[in-house]
Amino acid sequence: MEKRVLILGSTGSIGRAAAEVCRSLGERVRVVGLAALRSWELLAEQAAEFRPPAVALVDEAAARQLRQRGCGGAAVLSGPESLVELVNRAEADLVLAAIVGAAGLPATLAAVERGLTVGLANKEPLVVAGALLVPIAQRSGATLIPVDSEHSAIFQCLQGNRRADVKRVHLTASGGPFRTWPIERMEQATLADALRHPVWSMGPKITIDSATMMNKALEIVEAHHLFGLDADQIDVLIHPESIVHSMVEYLDGSTMAQLGVPDMKTPIQYAMTYPARCNGITQPLAWESIRALHFEAPDRARFPAINLGYEAARRGGTAGAVLNAANEAAVDRFRNGRLAFGQIARVSGELLARHAFRAQPTLEELLAADAWARREVEECVAC
Ligand code: NAD
Ligand code: MG
């Protein structure tokens, strides 16, 4: 049966991989909407290929260019509200949330409120507001299908088992470009160093998050919300080969793992075809050429971000929103050459420690905590 798919963030790394998956799935999917920030030329190409009835661009000037060029007959929505509008008007069986950052929260929330099935690559909205999003999904009947590779692995390993029988999960991490670097060298790592990921090819923000391992911190909070796990049920393991995408350990001592080549098209396709599986474009593992799989505990002294993820998952409330926003703002400053690499986790930790914590925040309070953390990072003179 044909699935109608709406791709938010279609011009990014995940969005482009999703387009490839749609192309390969052919008649099994129909793209009913595409959205991005400002890359109008690529959006025009995608619209010409997939012929969705509507597209959205947040940036007004880019949207004007797109309208002038013509967009394969698609209506072009624009402005800051356009993504929510697209979600609310689209007839979609799956909304693929692939925007980067907390900016994806309003559209994800709109999809969840509508009770739609959401393929979640965009982890930051869950980190900010998972305590609100998950109960809303339960009430509206929305299904959240993780696309983040570790969480997709856990989701797959949970199929056919009882949640109550889970002892803990092991989130694997490649360790990023600085896995073996001494701390002094990491402190002053350049943007080019941080963008040189050994395994995954991804957008710049998550690539830097992998270098600090803040990505794993965000994923701890993500797993906590998605699977209802306590922080101490979530273990992090460095696995440089990135072949075991994560594992679920059950009460009886059995551990289920999901393995595959490191390619986001696998979890994207799984979200699109779930609960079925179809022929994929990802190569299967070549078992004979795998000599060894390595696992080790992360070095918390060199990667202090990991502790922050545990702290945010444990404290709940506004902690996730502050950690995420502080990190987004610190990563922006690092990318602009205005912050040393080592400061990203340090500043995020300081703000997490000294923010005005609220245990049961409303959405407005979460957004206020997010805005406060961004301001603090931006105005930080000592940084
Ligand atoms: P990216 O930077 O390559 O792409 C981001 C997309 O979002 C683009 O289409 C861009 O136009 C759009 N966008 C950015 N800011 C926006 C805004 N303010 N409003 C509307 N649209 C906006 O990022 P990516 O690497 O594709 O990552 C997307 C999300 O998926 C992130 O949350 C990331 O953590 C997650 N993720 C990515 C990967 C990966 O392999 N790239 C793996 C796991 C999880
Ligand atoms: Mg991941």
Side-chain angles (χ1 to χ4, degrees):
M1 208 184 73
E2 180 190 74
K3 269 210 187 144
R4 296 164 300 177
V5 179
L6 168 61
I7 308 176
L8 302 171
S10 64
T11 59
S13 163
I14 292 286
R16 283 175 278 128
E20 270 186 70
V21 172
C22 289
R23 203 169 290 135
S24 127
L25 288 174
E27 312 254 285
R28 281 173 289 218
V29 296
R30 181 152 55 92
V31 176
V32 293
L34 297 165
L37 179 60
R38 63 170 73 88
S39 313
W40 64 272
E41 282 153 309
L42 179 52
L43 197 73
E45 279 172 33
Q46 292 177 334
E49 177 180 358
F50 294 108
R51 303 261 157 197
V55 301
L57 269 179
V58 172
D59 188 272
E60 295 282 7
R64 270 195 298 279
Q65 301 263 38
L66 184 61
R67 286 190 192 103
Q68 264 171 25
R69 145 115 179 227
C71 194
V76 180
L77 313 179
S78 59
E81 312 293 326
S82 59
L83 271 57
V84 170
E85 200 184 326
L86 185 66
V87 168
N88 283 334
R89 71 143 84 173
E91 299 204 13
D93 302 304
L94 176 76
V95 175
L96 183 70
I99 287 168
V100 60
L105 176 57
T108 302
L109 184 62
V112 169
E113 278 172 341
R114 276 195 64 190
L116 301 176
T117 298
V118 181
L120 258 187
N122 184 199
K123 64 194 87 182
E124 293 91 344
L126 263 187
V127 177
V128 174
L132 300 180
L133 278 170
V134 171
I136 293 173
Q138 279 157 357
R139 280 198 297 276
S140 69
T143 306
L144 299 177
I145 306 180
V147 171
D148 208 353
S149 58
E150 298 79 359
H151 305 72
S152 171
I154 293 170
F155 186 77
Q156 294 182 53
C157 294
L158 286 169
Q159 301 298 314
N161 289 291
R162 299 190 316 174
R163 296 289 168 101
D165 297 339
V166 173
K167 189 168 176 202
R168 56 181 183 157
V169 300
H170 302 273
L171 284 179
T172 52
S174 70
F178 306 144
R179 182 173 62 87
T180 58
W181 283 36
I183 196 160
E184 308 74 41
R185 191 171 167 214
M186 281 174 69
E187 275 295 318
Q188 298 303 327
T190 66
L191 180 58
D193 293 330
L195 289 176
R196 218 172 285 125
H197 198 283
V199 186
W200 296 95
S201 161
M202 313 181 281
K205 193 263 178 181
I206 183 173
T207 304
I208 295 165
D209 286 350
S210 300
T212 54
M213 290 198 72
M214 188 64 84
N215 184 46
K216 222 39 62 177
L218 303 178
E219 290 183 358
I220 292 168
V221 186
E222 182 185 9
H224 159 71
H225 288 303
L226 275 177
F227 306 116
L229 297 164
D230 292 338
D232 57 12
Q233 290 179 289
I234 305 167
D235 177 46
V236 172
L237 274 178
I238 303 285
H239 169 47
E241 292 88 1
S242 297
I243 283 177
V244 175
H245 296 306
S246 278
M247 302 179 256
V248 179
E249 184 182 320
Y250 287 94
L251 293 172
D252 59 2
S254 260
T255 297
M256 314 271 289
Q258 185 258 340
L259 288 75
V261 295
D263 186 330
M264 290 305 295
K265 291 194 283 298
T266 307
I268 292 169
Q269 172 162 323
Y270 184 69
M272 285 192 192
T273 63
Y274 171 81
R277 293 180 187 266
C278 300
N279 286 336
I281 33 178
T282 313
Q283 289 302 310
L285 281 173
W287 287 99
E288 322 74 56
S289 61
I290 299 171
R291 290 277 159 269
L293 297 176
H294 296 88
F295 301 92
E296 65 196 37
D299 178 348
R300 307 268 189 112
R302 288 188 304 123
F303 297 105
I306 292 179
N307 292 337
L308 304 180
Y310 280 112
E311 186 184 333
R314 238 173 241 123
R315 291 177 76 189
T318 41
V322 167
L323 177 62
N324 178 70
N327 177 59
E328 282 193 32
V331 167
D332 274 348
R333 268 189 79 152
F334 172 67
R335 287 175 71 183
N336 296 326
R338 294 171 51 234
L339 194 74
F341 180 80
Q343 287 282 69
I344 299 175
R346 210 170 297 127
V347 170
S348 303
E350 276 167 24
L351 293 185
L352 184 59
R354 74 175 164 84
H355 87 279
F357 178 75
R358 294 185 96 101
Q360 303 281 345
T362 61
L363 182 60
E364 289 66 36
E365 288 167 337
L366 288 171
L367 297 177
D370 169 298
W372 171 84
R374 285 174 204 270
R375 248 187 344 264
E376 288 292 312
V377 173
E378 204 35 54
E379 292 166 5
C380 172
V381 192
C383 292

